[in-house]
Amino acid sequence: MGKIEYREEKFAYGMLSPMLLFVIAFIIIPVLGTLWISLHRDVTFIPTHPFVGLRNYAMILRQGEFWRALLVTVSFSLVSVTLETLIGLTFALILNEEIRGRGIMRAIVLIPWAVPTIISARTWQVMYNYSYGLFNWVLEHVGLGAVNWFGTPLSAFFAVVFADVWKTAPFMTLLLLAGLQAIPSDTYEAAIIDGAGMFQRFWHVTLPLLKPVLIVAITLRTIDALRVFDIIYVLTGGGPGGATTSISLLAFNYYNLGDYGMGSAISILTFLTVLSFTVVYLKVGRFQEGLK
Amino acid sequence: MNEKKLKRTLLIIGAIVMAFVCLFPFAWMIIISLTKNATFLGSPYVHFELTLNNYRTVVSDPTLHFLAYFKNSVIIATMVTLVTVSISAMGAYAVSRIRFRGRLMVPIFVLGVSMFPQISLVGYLFKFIEKLGWINTYKALFFPYVAWTMPLALWILLSYFSQLPKDLDEAALMDGASRIQALYKVVLPLSAPALFSTALLVFIAAFNEFMFALLFTTDYRARTVPVGIALFQGVHGEVPWGNIMAASTISTIPLVVLALIFQRYVVSGLTAGALKGE
């Protein structure tokens, strides 16, 4: 390796170092630190923090509450991402057509994205209110009767899902729209000449060509959904009776009680859950290719 | 043609439903913020009465601290944006222009980091920040936010820098410019749109962050808008929906306006950040 290249290399590390320093100091070390804490019995107000190995993990894995939170998180991600994909795809297909007011429609679809999660959660909370919420008012006026949204596990679950889908479908829409716009129009023309109908074209041309984008978008959103915290914290607080407590929220609750050992162990388990999906994502995305 | 008609009808219906779905919660937030009594749907005796009182209360009542939260959010998000964008521009330049060992590992590493759940940091981070005495200071949020928004920023800038022809800055290097000069005089001016969309997304991400802000602040000195709104309590125990929605509207309108004016930048940033592999 030549002298200039060596100097260049040193320079490159110099330019990268502020970025890496921030990431290492405020992300990598904290994760390792949390892993370290999870191996201890660490409760606020108890001065000694003895090393207990994997005992916290053993305790968590034996408790129903963790498995329940995991089930809630996974089913939330599954239902939420499925609905988002269907809605996002529909929206993207509409926005991809030459219709009047398309510019305005594209602006409108950005609005839920721009509303902060906490604020949208608060707004949905007031709309779900049993006695003066918008939804129950509508349901009563069409004769379906009011729903105690936060009162039963199933309705609380869907209350969270709907609010989340509203907030995140625009992101999906934008990604899929970008994917649709990358499909060359002559592929459609060829399909039309071959006599393919609207639905056939969608099924045999659009969908296969959109597949790579769909996979990336779905994986990205799944990773995000598995980490869900904000919206549940505000909307239901994890209730009723833990029915909407995600793994992130469960860990947070332990921290709140001052039990850092257990909280950290659940956090690390959350990390591992998301990590397994991340590995899939990096494999699917093949990210270095653009750089080579 | 029958199919064309069917398609048109479906499109129009779809577009109307879509506009309605996207807008109604946003509209409802504004409606509640403008009503004298937020429970007006619940009782035949209470009616919708238009008022600006909620806004007046939120802005002027010192016990609510809303203006302090807003100020904190804007200052922190601005500082984070400036620092994140400059640092990640340097990193993205190095990765896209200079050959060095481990170069291809950097984006993978940073992208991997962006997938970490926030909760997996806070156990240690809370103790660390408490030990430093940073609770209720801007520092407590500034440092984690810069780290937290870095992957997104690096990703967008990297995808843009790699598209810029390398000949441009190599010509500058030939003319005797240093790498730093090549970055500041050639690459950055050409990347203005990407820098802007990165800044916009980082600002919005920092403005909206919730978990760190919830844990690392306990009062108005550093508490941000999302935490303020999530924990908003009425003086009399009942939930002051009018005030909450007024505060929400005040906080949301600037973001929505920003996103709509700079729609193109938002969209290119979001898609560049996500669809690099395609």
Side-chain angles (χ1 to χ4, degrees):
Chain A
M1 183 180 276
K3 214 173 180 175
I4 296 175
E5 275 153 350
Y6 177 68
R7 217 176 46 212
E8 286 264 274
E9 186 165 61
K10 255 175 69 181
F11 181 74
Y13 291 136
M15 288 191 97
L16 278 174
S17 55
M19 187 182 90
L20 293 180
L21 230 90
F22 264 98
V23 171
I24 290 169
F26 290 94
I27 295 182
I28 303 294
I29 293 179
V31 169
L32 295 175
T34 304
L35 176 65
W36 183 243
I37 295 171
S38 77
L39 303 175
H40 295 76
R41 181 169 155 70
D42 186 338
V43 183
T44 322
F45 310 121
I46 299 178
T48 57
H49 300 154
F51 183 86
V52 294
L54 294 174
R55 211 180 64 188
N56 288 329
Y57 292 91
M59 255 160 82
I60 289 159
L61 296 178
R62 254 185 284 124
Q63 280 166 358
E65 109 195 294
F66 172 76
W67 295 108
R68 184 168 168 192
L70 187 65
L71 182 70
V72 167
T73 310
V74 171
S75 25
F76 167 82
S77 306
L78 213 72
V79 176
S80 201
V81 174
T82 306
L83 287 176
E84 263 169 64
T85 310
L86 294 176
I87 293 172
L89 186 58
T90 313
F91 284 6
L93 286 169
I94 294 172
L95 291 177
N96 198 34
E97 292 294 331
E98 304 278 341
I99 46 169
R100 247 188 308 159
R102 185 165 71 161
I104 298 170
M105 293 302 290
R106 285 191 184 172
I108 287 174
V109 88
L110 256 185
I111 288 179
W113 175 83
V115 177
T117 308
I118 296 302
I119 289 177
S120 96
R122 278 298 219 177
T123 309
W124 283 80
Q125 199 178 22
V126 70
M127 293 193 298
Y128 283 130
N129 186 286
Y130 183 77
S131 46
Y132 51 83
L134 179 63
F135 293 131
N136 279 351
W137 184 80
V138 172
L139 287 175
E140 273 181 346
H141 277 77
V142 297
L144 286 170
V147 174
N148 186 1
W149 287 99
F150 300 131
T152 74
L154 197 66
S155 58
F157 177 83
F158 278 101
V160 174
V161 166
F162 294 151
D164 186 68
V165 169
W166 181 75
K167 170 78 184 113
T168 47
F171 178 71
M172 203 62 142
T173 306
L174 294 179
L175 291 195
L176 297 182
L177 182 59
L180 284 176
Q181 285 168 340
I183 299 176
S185 58
D186 45 352
T187 41
Y188 290 112
E189 277 151 29
I192 291 173
I193 290 166
D194 290 346
M198 179 168 68
F199 296 104
Q200 277 174 312
R201 286 202 301 275
F202 172 73
W203 199 251
H204 294 290
V205 181
T206 314
L207 215 49
L209 287 171
L210 197 60
K211 205 174 124 196
V213 182
L214 259 175
I215 292 174
V216 173
I218 289 173
T219 325
L220 259 184
R221 277 297 313 141
T222 308
I223 288 166
D224 218 28
L226 288 170
R227 308 187 282 193
V228 63
F229 174 81
D230 301 11
I231 200 164
I232 295 179
Y233 180 88
V234 169
L235 259 186
T236 63
T244 55
T245 301
S246 69
I247 34 181
S248 284
L249 184 57
L250 184 66
F252 180 88
N253 290 339
Y254 272 100
Y255 289 134
N256 243 1
L257 292 171
D259 194 337
Y260 278 79
M262 291 287 276
S264 296
I266 298 170
S267 303
I268 295 298
L269 291 173
T270 310
F271 177 84
L272 294 176
T273 311
V274 177
L275 183 75
S276 46
F277 278 83
T278 309
V279 171
V280 174
Y281 177 54
L282 290 177
K283 278 237 163 75
V284 168
R286 292 188 307 256
F287 286 97
Q288 317 95 306
E289 272 171 21
L291 277 171
K292 273 175 188 157
Chain B
M1 270 181 101
N2 212 357
E3 186 179 90
K4 247 192 177 145
K5 234 180 198 164
L6 173 68
K7 189 174 168 183
R8 257 210 99 63
T9 322
L10 281 179
L11 268 177
I12 290 169
I13 295 172
I16 292 169
V17 171
M18 180 173 131
F20 178 77
V21 167
C22 290
L23 285 175
F24 85 89
F26 182 63
W28 196 247
M29 173 176 91
I30 297 172
I31 290 171
I32 296 287
S33 78
L34 289 172
T35 178
K36 199 171 163 200
N37 194 330
T39 63
F40 69 91
L41 281 185
S43 138
Y45 310 108
V46 186
H47 297 288
F48 179 81
E49 251 182 276
L50 199 70
T51 173
L52 285 174
N53 269 341
N54 293 317
Y55 288 90
R56 235 169 267 145
T57 312
V58 160
V59 173
S60 63
D61 189 339
T63 59
L64 295 177
H65 298 298
F66 174 69
L67 288 182
Y69 300 154
F70 197 79
K71 189 188 88 189
N72 296 340
S73 278
V74 171
I75 293 176
I76 292 169
T78 308
M79 292 194 313
V80 168
T81 306
L82 291 174
V83 174
T84 302
V85 173
S86 358
I87 291 180
S88 44
M90 281 175 14
Y93 180 84
V95 174
S96 68
R97 288 300 192 269
I98 306 173
R99 304 212 150 264
F100 58 91
R101 269 167 295 171
R103 169 170 160 266
L104 293 179
M105 287 306 294
V106 175
I108 303 250
F109 168 74
V110 174
L111 191 76
V113 159
S114 77
M115 309 290 168
F116 286 15
Q118 262 184 304
I119 195 81
S120 67
L121 320 178
V122 297
Y124 177 84
L125 209 49
F126 180 78
K127 289 184 165 218
F128 180 60
I129 280 169
E130 202 179 32
K131 209 180 221 165
L132 291 171
W134 284 5
I135 298 291
N136 278 329
T137 64
Y138 287 176
K139 280 177 287 187
L141 299 182
F142 170 78
F143 286 96
Y145 282 10
V146 171
W148 196 246
T149 52
M150 192 81 71
L152 174 73
L154 181 84
W155 206 248
I156 301 172
L157 291 176
L158 200 53
S159 74
Y160 196 85
F161 286 1
S162 345
Q163 284 163 16
L164 284 181
K166 280 184 191 166
D167 312 353
L168 290 172
D169 44 326
E170 263 151 30
L173 292 177
M174 290 290 183
D175 290 344
S178 68
R179 279 283 183 194
I180 295 275
Q181 282 170 327
L183 171 62
Y184 280 93
K185 298 213 168 121
V186 181
V187 176
L188 289 189
L190 287 172
S191 318
L195 289 172
F196 187 71
S197 74
T198 312
L200 206 60
L201 294 190
V202 168
F203 183 89
I204 290 180
F207 194 92
N208 295 352
E209 198 285 333
F210 181 62
M211 197 195 283
F212 292 156
L214 178 66
L215 284 161
F216 305 155
T217 63
T218 55
D219 65 28
Y220 63 91
R221 279 173 290 171
R223 184 168 278 172
T224 56
V225 167
V227 183
I229 285 176
L231 304 180
F232 218 117
Q233 290 297 332
V235 195
H236 309 294
E238 52 180 31
V239 188
W241 283 117
N243 291 348
I244 296 175
M245 290 297 118
S248 298
T249 307
I250 296 174
S251 316
T252 307
I253 296 287
L255 297 178
V256 168
V257 169
L258 265 182
L260 294 190
I261 295 178
F262 301 114
Q263 193 185 341
R264 202 159 54 84
Y265 297 94
V266 170
V267 173
S268 73
L270 284 178
T271 46
L275 296 182
K276 184 77 200 330
E278 298 318 306

